[in-house]
Amino acid sequence: NEYWEEARGLYAPFESGQKSGSADVYIHEMPGGQYTNLLYQSTQLGLTGQWSHVKTAYAAANRLLGDIIKVTPSSKVTGDLAQFIVANNLTEREVVEKAEELSFPNSVIEYFQGYLGIPPFGFPEPLRSRVLKGRTIEGTSGLSCFDGRPGAQLPPYDFDLNRKTLEEKWSADKISDHDVMSHAMYPQVFDEFMERQEEYGKLSYLDTRTFLTGMKVGQELNVSLEKGKQLIVKLISVGETTDDGIVNIQFELNGQPRSVHVKDKRSGVAETKRLKALKGVTGSIGAAMPGVVLETKVKKGDKVVKGDPL
């Protein structure tokens, strides 16, 4: 009991605000684990105050999808469609009638393409045909939808080529077998994780409480990097936010005073972004050293060869 009481307090900032049970679950049939998540997502999408409409739309979305078994990720498809219905002020009938001209969420399109497999009662028609009209599955020879298990109709996955690509993009010493598997299953999520790790470093060394709530002034933290290698961090002070939205942080690292300037994202000060070259993006070229561009000798569309001044 004591453990769960403390854990509940620790994760309280992430709770959705749901304080009681709800009997209308028998109407919308939303899985319990998704209920609070979808409530939070609806708020983030600007649907605050329309939660009752989202729940009603969830039941409609379930019918439109063929009364499917709702587990991850099929429940996400239902939730995405429900929010889409509310956001666009659609009725169940209008979704079917206007399916060819609506911009459905990608998860809904992939569901009808058979990415999750074939539902027990088949796909509802004519909705499926209308949603998929003019669409083909990437990586196939013009296939609009899978006929059975998706993996059976896809070419064998080239793990060696994928590893080589990841090593070229993120460097070989940062890619493990686990990373190759993660990218194979969730390529976009993996890339976002690596970009975040590039910016902030590995945060797995921090304990959960520090990661979620940060340190308090005067607090000392032991960070174990590996066996026999520890860092002792002590937070000395947190300065006031400047007019530029910057906060000066004073701390000690293994007894040595350090300071760092951190952007206060809550300050509301507009940030001037200096874009960097994007890894893996053809044509995105980074400068060999920092500086200021004084002149450009070419314009978009010009053809250049090696040695031409840019």
Side-chain angles (χ1 to χ4, degrees), residues 8-84:
R8 182 73 182 272
L10 184 62
Y11 287 91
F14 303 95
E15 291 191 356
S16 63
Q18 179 72 16
K19 301 297 184 182
S20 64
S22 177
D24 57 6
V25 67
Y26 293 104
I27 299 174
H28 54 68
E29 299 181 350
M30 193 183 301
Q34 185 184 21
Y35 191 94
T36 51
N37 290 339
L38 195 61
L39 173 57
Y40 174 77
Q41 291 168 12
S42 298
T43 302
Q44 296 298 106
L45 290 173
L47 301 178
T48 306
Q50 299 191 65
W51 178 234
S52 61
H53 298 297
V54 173
K55 290 189 288 185
T56 302
Y58 191 95
N62 178 50
R63 291 190 294 270
L64 288 166
L65 296 173
D67 193 14
I68 58 176
I69 299 170
K70 290 173 287 299
V71 293
T72 308
S74 60
S75 57
K76 179 185 182 301
V77 177
T78 315
D80 289 348
L81 181 55
Q83 293 177 128
F84 176 79

Side-chain angles (χ1 to χ4, degrees), residues 93-112:
R93 182 176 179 178
E94 287 174 332
V95 172
V96 178
E97 292 177 346
K98 301 178 179 180
E100 293 182 16
E101 58 190 66
L102 292 173
S103 299
F104 288 99
N106 193 54
S107 62
V108 176
I109 296 171
E110 290 186 347
Y111 164 77
F112 282 118

Side-chain angles (χ1 to χ4, degrees), residues 11 25 41 43 61 68 77 115 120 129 146 159 180 210 213 234 248 275 307:
Y11 287 91
V25 67
Q41 291 168 12
T43 302
I68 58 176
V77 177
Y115 271 81
S129 299
F146 295 109
F159 287 96
V180 175
T210 303
T213 63
K234 183 177 182 180
N248 184 41
L275 301 179

Side-chain angles (χ1 to χ4, degrees), residues 148-208:
R149 185 176 67 85
Q153 295 175 270
L154 291 174
Y157 190 81
D158 193 333
F159 287 96
D160 293 333
L161 178 60
N162 186 43
R163 173 183 281 276
K164 183 179 179 181
T165 303
L166 291 176
E167 289 177 348
E168 290 175 353
K169 186 173 184 179
W170 304 108
S171 80
D173 61 314
K174 296 180 180 179
I175 301 300
S176 66
D177 291 340
H178 289 94
D179 295 326
V180 175
M181 291 299 296
S182 297
H183 185 269
M185 294 183 286
Y186 306 105
Q188 184 177 350
V189 175
F190 177 79
D191 284 342
E192 290 175 356
F193 168 77
M194 291 299 291
E195 288 169 2
R196 222 173 152 73
Q197 194 163 266
E198 285 280 301
E199 185 176 0
Y200 299 107
K202 288 188 176 181
L203 301 179
S204 57
Y205 300 116
L206 295 177
D207 61 277
T208 302

Side-chain angles (χ1 to χ4, degrees), residues 206-250:
L206 295 177
D207 61 277
T208 302
R209 184 179 293 278
T210 303
F211 177 78
L212 294 177
T213 63
M215 296 177 64
K216 296 180 180 179
V217 174
Q219 179 183 349
E220 194 171 88
L221 181 68
N222 291 336
V223 181
S224 180
L225 300 180
E226 58 185 57
K227 190 174 182 179
K229 188 174 183 180
Q230 282 193 330
L231 297 178
I232 301 176
V233 184
K234 183 177 182 180
L235 181 59
I236 304 300
S237 67
V238 179
E240 297 291 330
T241 304
T242 66
D243 293 338
D244 297 325
I246 302 298
V247 176
N248 184 41
I249 308 293
Q250 301 283 343

